[in-house]
Amino acid sequence: MLYDWIKALHIIALIAWMAAMLYLPRLFVYHAALPPGSEAQSATFKVMERRLLKAIMTPAMIATWVFGLTLAWMSGYYASLWLQLKFVLVLAMSGAHGFLARTVKDFAADRNTRGDRFYRVINEVPTLLMIAIVILAVVKPGF
């Protein structure tokens, strides 16, 4: 019974993390596309980006990791190749999270040097990682 509750909390945290991971780069697209002299709009984007990162994305990532590692320990799947591959992909997702967090700081300090097209492409990275992670978690291939 406890396992099912932890699994539910893991999925809830994952959904929150992925929602933020997909939305934050979209905010960057719009922020990077602002015309020069749009200080008021830029200030609004800075607040939105910071709050999304600090209030949702980072706590959701931490919860996803805590509940996921707990599930791996409780289930004994940690020795399975599919979970080890999933772990590597979640590490990559955490790296993407770190890149996005750094980008929030760059925008906050008016140091962004990338255009909106870059962030449109970056927006796809969490999606591709998420697809692979979900397939591994659901299918649990035996390799």
Side-chain angles (χ1 to χ4, degrees), residues 78-91:
Y78 52 84
S80 302
L81 182 57
W82 70 266
L83 185 59
Q84 294 169 3
L85 291 173
K86 179 185 170 204
F87 180 76
V88 169
L89 294 174
V90 175
L91 280 174

Side-chain angles (χ1 to χ4, degrees), residues 100-139:
L100 296 177
R102 178 69 198 159
T103 304
V104 167
K105 289 179 183 178
D106 287 344
F107 271 110
D110 295 319
R111 288 190 311 251
N112 177 56
T113 58
R114 297 179 176 99
D116 60 307
R117 296 180 94 197
F118 174 82
Y119 295 113
R120 288 179 198 280
V121 173
I122 289 301
N123 197 28
E124 303 308 320
V125 172
T127 303
L128 296 173
L129 288 169
M130 179 186 61
I131 290 168
I133 290 166
V134 169
I135 289 171
L136 287 170
V138 173
V139 176

Side-chain angles (χ1 to χ4, degrees), residues 13-100:
L14 173 66
I15 290 168
W17 187 24
M18 288 301 94
M21 290 284 290
L22 298 173
Y23 185 49
L24 188 57
R26 179 55 47 189
L27 288 175
F28 295 158
V29 168
Y30 300 135
H31 197 166
L34 287 177
S38 302
E39 285 82 21
Q41 286 179 303
S42 180
T44 299
F45 277 114
K46 289 175 185 179
V47 169
M48 293 170 66
E49 292 158 357
R50 186 187 77 250
R51 286 182 180 170
L52 182 62
L53 175 68
K54 301 282 186 190
I56 297 172
M57 200 164 101
T58 298
M61 178 193 68
I62 293 167
T64 299
W65 270 102
V66 168
F67 294 130
L69 290 173
T70 302
L71 289 171
W73 174 75
M74 289 177 76
S75 68
Y77 279 129
Y78 52 84
S80 302
L81 182 57
W82 70 266
L83 185 59
Q84 294 169 3
L85 291 173
K86 179 185 170 204
F87 180 76
V88 169
L89 294 174
V90 175
L91 280 174
M93 186 74 78
S94 298
H97 178 114
F99 171 79
L100 296 177

